[in-house]
Amino acid sequence: MKILIFGASGRVGEVLREVALAAGHELSTPSHTECDLEHPVTVGERVLRSKAELVVNCAAISRVDECEDNALRAHIVNAMSPAAMALACRHTGARFIHLSTDYVLDGRRPGLKPVDTRCKPVNFYGMSKAEAEFQVRENNTDALILRVSWVCGNPRKPSFVENALAQALRGEKLFAAADQDSLPTHAQDIARVILSPQLEGVSGVLQVTSCGEPMSRYSGAKMALEHACNVGILPEMPFVEAQRVCNISRFRAPRPAHTAMDNSELLRLGIPMPGARESIYRAVDDYLSFVRS
Ligand SMILES: NC(=O)c1ccc[n+]([C@@H]2O[C@H](COP(=O)([O-])OP(=O)(O)OC[C@H]3O[C@@H](n4cnc5c(N)ncnc54)[C@H](OP(=O)(O)O)[C@@H]3O)[C@@H](O)[C@H]2O)c1
């Protein structure tokens, strides 16, 4: 299949590119400089010119604080360009898959959030992504939006899982937020879902995340380090200091507290997802193979 991927150099996009190439798909992966999402018209034209059967948008300004500092740019890149992609796909007949986030939720109440929970973001990143969901659905009723959370498993773009391990290996002091929870999603699983034949003809929003109960980054980091101890990479379990999000001075944007998503619709469609612990262990194993190679 001919696939056009935006954001193929990112944490998810890079893994998607590898998985799609290995599956024999023909890819077009315009870089940031070749097709800048700050220019939605150019982006739409790029889709119109393509012969792609599937267009996947993994591009975004995904750094929450960067969006807070430049809300207009976040709106254009994260919402207006995906809207242009969705519209252009409607014209070409290509399938459009767009990635979204658990940060579209306000996270006020603990527990797993059903897919129809009202979007009420608490920061400009979440606002831009919620606006994208709305615009994409308005412009293309066949489009599929995949909400993912706390992506791990790309060793070249470390997440809180790989960072905790890397810091522990360097003997650094470890901190992690204990009062914010969600669920990790392994990048390989996102790629598998995107390319999954079971999703042909499925539109709307799907929540793509590991199975399990909501967990904090503190718990996730400790799981990663315990696994590293069990496989003999760390001689002993390092101490991890539990932090409160409000005390993390580099955070300029507010963070939603409880955004773990219910993935039962995905399971119902016949797409299994691993447990959160398994995703974290796999991300650790992938990272260790990467640093050893
Ligand atoms: N990472 C997470 O934990 C997480 C959680 C929930 C949802 N998501 C969502 O998942 C998707 C993928 O996230 P990710 O973690 O893979 O993001 P990422 O690692 O930050 O990668 C973002 C990609 O977008 C590209 N990009 C950024 N600005 C651009 C612009 N103006 N024009 C063209 N390309 C641009 C980047 O290219 P350059 O690097 O060349 O700028 C990069 O390829 C996003 O929609 C994100 O909102 C991620």
Side-chain angles (χ1 to χ4, degrees):
M1 180 166 45
K2 287 186 173 145
I3 310 179
L4 171 60
I5 305 174
F6 291 99
S9 64
R11 189 179 284 164
V12 176
E14 223 178 44
V15 172
L16 174 63
R17 175 162 52 184
E18 283 168 4
V19 172
L21 278 177
H25 296 293
E26 191 185 316
L27 305 187
S28 173
T29 55
S31 67
H32 186 153
T33 35
E34 284 162 350
C35 187
D36 190 339
L37 269 67
E38 283 192 43
H39 305 290
V41 175
T42 313
V43 171
E45 285 169 351
R46 180 71 185 76
V47 175
L48 289 176
R49 271 202 321 277
S50 84
K51 304 260 184 303
E53 296 146 85
L54 169 65
V55 176
V56 185
N57 181 30
C58 301
I61 302 177
S62 66
R63 287 175 297 274
V64 174
D65 297 303
E66 190 178 328
C67 294
E68 206 70 8
D69 295 341
N70 198 334
L72 181 60
R73 196 162 153 255
H75 177 77
I76 293 168
V77 171
N78 290 356
M80 290 179 68
S81 272
M85 292 175 200
L87 192 59
C89 284
R90 193 166 99 190
H91 284 285
T92 64
R95 168 108 165 120
F96 182 49
I97 299 184
H98 170 74
L99 293 187
S100 188
T101 170
D102 55 332
Y103 277 27
V104 296
L105 306 169
D106 67 10
R108 291 227 166 87
R109 281 179 304 106
L112 294 178
K113 305 295 175 305
V115 70
D116 57 0
T117 306
R118 196 154 84 88
C119 289
K120 231 172 147 200
V122 302
N123 54 40
F124 283 109
Y125 168 68
M127 275 184 230
S128 67
K129 299 294 287 184
E131 180 64 18
E133 288 196 7
F134 177 77
Q135 295 283 341
V136 165
R137 295 182 78 174
E138 283 285 299
N139 286 354
N140 188 332
T141 50
D142 294 330
L144 178 62
I145 294 164
L146 302 178
R147 274 186 203 152
V148 305
S149 55
W150 292 11
V151 179
C152 61
N154 180 343
R156 290 171 299 272
K157 310 272 156 126
S159 70
F160 75 101
V161 175
E162 294 87 359
N163 279 331
L165 181 58
Q167 285 166 348
L169 289 170
R170 292 195 295 265
E172 291 172 12
K173 208 169 169 201
L174 295 164
F175 306 87
D179 60 349
Q180 187 195 15
D181 57 60
S182 187
L183 277 164
T185 318
H186 196 291
Q188 295 266 354
D189 289 316
I190 302 175
R192 177 172 57 85
V193 170
I194 289 172
L195 299 172
S196 161
Q198 286 100 311
L199 290 188
E200 248 170 59
V202 176
S203 59
V205 180
L206 274 180
Q207 302 191 138
V208 178
T209 186
S210 306
C211 299
E213 289 306 309
M215 65 160 66
S216 64
R217 285 192 173 88
Y218 172 76
S219 307
K222 286 203 349 181
M223 252 177 216
L225 299 171
E226 272 157 18
H227 183 58
C229 289
N230 291 340
V231 297
I233 293 300
L234 290 174
E236 60 184 28
M237 183 65 189
F239 174 70
V240 184
E241 189 177 319
Q243 276 182 308
R244 295 188 61 192
V245 169
C246 64
N247 293 334
I248 303 178
S249 56
R250 68 176 189 281
F251 285 0
R252 298 182 296 282
R255 265 49 177 186
H258 310 289
T259 55
M261 302 181 292
D262 170 45
N263 66 1
S264 52
E265 182 61 13
L266 196 64
L267 306 182
R268 201 186 60 73
L269 288 163
I271 302 182
M273 290 300 283
R277 181 180 292 274
E278 188 186 332
S279 297
I280 287 176
Y281 286 4
R282 193 150 49 104
V284 168
D285 294 340
D286 294 343
Y287 183 72
L288 292 174
S289 314
F290 172 72
V291 292
R292 283 181 186 136
S293 65

